[in-house]
Amino acid sequence: MKTALITGGTKGIGKAVALEFLKQGYEVVLNYHSDERSALATQDEFNMLGYCPVLLRADVSDELQVRQMFKEFFGIYEKLDVLVNNAGISLVRVIQDTAACDWDKIFNVNVKGVFLCSKAVVDRMIGNGGGSIINVSSIWGEVGASCEVAYSASKGAVIAFTKALSKELAPSKVRVNCVSPGVIDTEMNSHLTGDEMQGLIEQIPAGRIGYPEDVAKACLYLAEADYVTGEVLSVGGGFGK
């Protein structure tokens, strides 16, 4: 029996990743932070499909909460095969209007959260003979986005984190990879107007926006690909290339 924990696993990309892993027979734990109603609704939805994911609440930017979450996880399961660091927040704002507290909040969730969750599991993964850490970045972490400097910088940091940690952990058979979604149909992009979305679609060689399921399939591949580590797998239909 393989296990997976997905941070931010009850909405959008995280929810699709969770379902993909459940379909493949994984025992799945869904992390969420504040939206308990949505988390319970997702759990109920999966229950109706015949799956029984576990919900664990934690703010991934809070070290004590992260430690407690994994203490609870390892109280249920002996090992963790796959960690998907998906939890993230965005900010659309020109730099002149970006306060230092905005910057800190973005980096605390998008970067510090990846660090804390990864740190919490590596010893266990090493002790169990290996594992897979998958970090969710963004195409903006590769090419940058106007009016999203803080978000783009945080996602670029996730890419650098992935490449460095993959080298550190490869000898211990813990693989660290990254998915880099392009324009995906999620709540995070709901601020875009119809014209703005159409303008982005016109820049995508594949001719459509992506769906959370597209990213989920990439995550499953990285979870199972035993000889792949340190990679950034773009999931964007050729956007930004």
Side-chain angles (χ1 to χ4, degrees):
M1 176 187 67
K2 291 186 177 181
T3 61
L5 185 146
I6 297 104
T7 67
T10 61
K11 295 181 181 178
I13 289 173
K15 179 179 177 180
V17 172
L19 182 58
E20 189 70 28
F21 278 74
L22 286 166
K23 288 178 178 178
Q24 298 302 316
Y26 280 76
E27 294 288 326
V28 173
V29 173
L30 310 176
N31 156 261
Y32 72 101
H33 176 206
S34 57
D35 192 348
E36 185 174 30
R37 179 179 295 182
S38 177
L40 290 172
T42 294
Q43 186 181 46
D44 287 344
E45 181 181 336
F46 287 161
N47 289 163
M48 291 288 288
L49 295 172
Y51 304 118
C52 299
V54 174
L55 290 178
L56 289 180
R57 183 172 189 165
D59 176 356
V60 297
S61 69
D62 185 307
E63 186 169 11
L64 291 179
Q65 291 188 41
V66 169
R67 287 180 180 176
Q68 181 61 31
M69 175 174 69
F70 284 105
K71 180 179 180 180
E72 292 179 34
F73 177 92
F74 288 114
I76 302 170
Y77 301 106
E78 292 184 358
K79 64 185 179 72
L80 174 62
D81 294 290
V82 182
L83 168 65
V84 182
N85 285 311
N86 166 74
I89 57 175
S90 64
L91 180 69
V92 180
R93 196 167 295 170
V94 296
I95 193 168
Q96 297 96 319
D97 295 333
T98 302
C101 61
D102 296 326
W103 182 274
D104 290 343
K105 184 177 180 180
I106 288 286
F107 269 75
N108 280 342
V109 176
N110 294 1
V111 186
K112 185 180 178 183
V114 172
F115 159 70
L116 290 176
C117 290
S118 299
K119 180 182 178 182
V121 303
V122 290
D123 280 345
R124 287 277 196 156
M125 285 186 170
I126 291 170
N128 287 319
S132 173
I133 297 173
I134 302 167
N135 301 319
V136 179
S137 179
S138 167
I139 189 65
W140 303 134
E142 298 185 72
V143 303
S146 174
C147 301
E148 294 189 61
V149 170
Y151 179 75
S152 298
S154 71
K155 290 302 188 176
V158 170
I159 291 173
F161 177 93
T162 298
K163 290 181 175 293
L165 189 61
S166 69
K167 292 179 172 66
E168 186 173 320
L169 297 181
S172 301
K173 301 187 185 308
V174 176
R175 298 179 299 104
V176 188
N177 290 291
C178 185
V179 291
S180 179
V183 184
I184 306 297
D185 185 19
T186 65
E187 184 179 330
M188 191 174 284
N189 286 321
S190 62
H191 67 279
L192 296 171
T193 67
D195 287 344
E196 288 171 335
M197 182 62 76
Q198 184 57 41
L200 286 171
I201 291 173
E202 290 173 0
Q203 300 176 57
I204 301 173
R208 68 168 177 88
I209 62 171
Y211 299 102
E213 293 76 15
D214 295 316
V215 184
K217 291 174 183 176
C219 287
L220 181 64
Y221 164 74
L222 291 174
E224 302 286 345
D226 289 341
Y227 197 55
V228 178
T229 194
E231 295 299 328
V232 179
L233 179 55
S234 293
V235 186
F239 180 73
K241 299 301 179 184

